[in-house]
Amino acid sequence: ATRRREREREERESMADAVRHVIESMIPELDALEERGLFTKQELQEVVKRRTEHEYAIRRPGGKATVADFIRYVEYETKMEELRKLRTKTPRAIEAKKNKKLRKKTKGRAEFCIVRRLHFIFSRAINKFPGDLRLLRTYFDFCKSNGSSKQFSSQLTKALQFHPNKPALWLPAAPLG
């Protein structure tokens, strides 16, 4: 019993360290979103809180995360990206974009950080649930809508190797025209 409790404690600590690492890796992108005038500090604190909750959900001890946990995380980040796109048209964001020094400092971070995070979430979901075709199709749709042809091609190749007898996966691979 003592050994089991010790192992569970180590799992929780390991999970907490992994979540902390992911959250810390977002600091530069969150700073860029704030500096560009796209989100306030209070909004970003809520984003960190929600992302932390999602990270814990997809890293449950004993591998008990579900596809639904990943989908909820993807839906949250997709809404974040939609909001970011809307806010790029606000006067505050337009003014920040005109600032050359700020633009150079945050170049690429503010524009692509959420899409990059979505690719990261999808890749972890697909690695955990490689047999889920609905998840794969959702990712393929996401790649197409964001012009992520390299990621689309790479993941499609892996999916076809894993599911060579699934016609639904061969359709996106067929050339149009």
Side-chain angles (χ1 to χ4, degrees):
T2 308
R3 186 175 279 194
R4 190 184 81 219
R5 273 187 252 132
E6 180 67 26
R7 191 174 59 243
E8 288 172 356
R9 186 182 63 75
E10 287 174 6
E11 273 183 24
R12 280 193 306 275
E13 286 176 5
S14 174
M15 180 176 63
D17 288 342
V19 169
R20 192 174 311 111
H21 174 72
V22 169
I23 298 302
E24 286 173 0
S25 73
M26 340 175 161
I27 292 172
E29 67 189 44
L30 295 174
D31 288 344
L33 289 168
E34 182 184 8
E35 289 170 4
R36 283 286 180 96
L38 300 171
F39 292 93
T40 64
K41 198 161 209 64
Q42 292 78 22
E43 289 172 325
L44 292 173
Q45 287 172 343
E46 181 62 26
V47 168
V48 168
K49 181 181 169 196
R50 295 284 304 273
R51 284 181 173 176
T52 302
E53 291 168 2
H54 286 294
E55 285 293 328
Y56 273 107
I58 64 173
R59 293 175 185 270
R60 285 190 194 132
K64 295 178 183 168
T66 65
V67 173
D69 293 326
F70 282 97
I71 295 297
R72 277 191 291 277
Y73 198 177
V74 165
E75 288 170 350
Y76 174 73
E77 291 295 330
T78 301
K79 288 176 187 169
M80 283 282 300
E81 177 62 7
E82 290 168 2
L83 184 58
R84 186 202 63 79
K85 284 179 182 176
L86 282 173
R87 289 187 176 183
T88 58
K89 298 173 179 95
T90 63
R92 182 175 166 203
I94 292 169
E95 195 58 39
K97 192 173 184 176
K98 288 179 184 176
N99 181 335
K100 284 185 179 183
K101 190 175 183 181
L102 177 62
R103 198 170 62 229
K104 187 175 182 180
K105 178 182 175 188
T106 63
K107 185 177 181 185
R109 280 196 202 131
E111 292 85 358
F112 305 111
C113 62
I114 299 173
V115 172
R116 240 187 339 264
R117 179 149 310 282
L118 279 160
H119 281 294
F120 178 57
I121 296 164
F122 269 119
S123 70
R124 292 188 293 167
I126 291 168
N127 285 339
K128 187 160 182 73
F129 303 102
D132 194 304
L133 296 179
R134 195 176 85 239
L135 179 64
L136 286 167
R137 282 195 293 275
T138 303
Y139 183 56
F140 295 155
D141 292 343
F142 166 75
C143 287
K144 286 179 183 177
S145 68
N146 285 286
S148 304
S149 58
K150 285 182 182 178
Q151 289 88 343
F152 172 79
S153 178
S154 170
Q155 194 58 53
L156 181 60
T157 302
K158 289 177 190 173
L160 289 172
Q161 288 170 348
F162 195 81
H163 300 286
N165 299 325
K166 302 285 185 190
L169 287 178
W170 285 95
L171 292 175
L176 298 174

